Amino acid sequence: MAELLSDDRMTTALGTLPDWRREGDALVRSVTLPSFPDAIRVVNRVAEIAENDNHHPDIDIRWRTLTFRCSTHSAGGVTEADISLAEEIDGVLDALS
């Protein structure tokens, strides 16, 4: 089973993920895209990455606004897999801009 991050590791990770925040047992990022089709393209690309990594974020779609929640449910909180997925999601969003 994956190990939960310590508070110190979480603080360090959030220092490298400035658009993310901790909400309870998850890392969360919301972003507004230029259009609904752009938002869906991002969701589709993140879905491909998640399938490849076998680690899936919760994704909320509200027109052009996406909210990603990364948490390892089997571990009950944030693990290194969530940090890695958040970094990959940032890469998808960076490539769009």
Side-chain angles (χ1 to χ4, degrees):
M1 180 188 291
E3 187 174 317
L4 293 176
L5 297 185
S6 68
D7 287 338
D8 286 344
R9 175 64 181 116
M10 179 67 78
T11 299
T12 300
L14 287 172
T16 65
L17 297 165
D19 297 313
W20 292 80
R21 64 190 181 279
R22 183 179 191 171
E23 280 188 11
D25 293 333
L27 290 175
V28 179
R29 178 177 181 184
S30 294
V31 61
T32 301
L33 284 297
S35 68
F36 183 71
D38 285 338
I40 297 305
R41 277 191 282 280
V42 168
V43 169
N44 286 336
R45 182 63 189 120
V46 169
E48 291 171 1
I49 291 167
E51 280 294 297
N52 185 61
D53 293 351
N54 194 30
H55 192 66
H56 305 83
D58 293 335
I59 305 172
D60 181 64
I61 305 168
R62 307 286 172 146
W63 185 40
R64 302 179 305 137
T65 301
L66 304 176
T67 300
F68 298 96
R69 296 181 60 80
C70 298
S71 181
T72 303
H73 302 291
S74 61
V78 179
T79 66
E80 289 295 335
D82 300 301
I83 300 301
S84 178
L85 184 56
E87 291 169 343
E88 290 184 279
I89 291 169
D90 280 354
V92 171
L93 293 166
D94 289 346
L96 193 68
S97 56

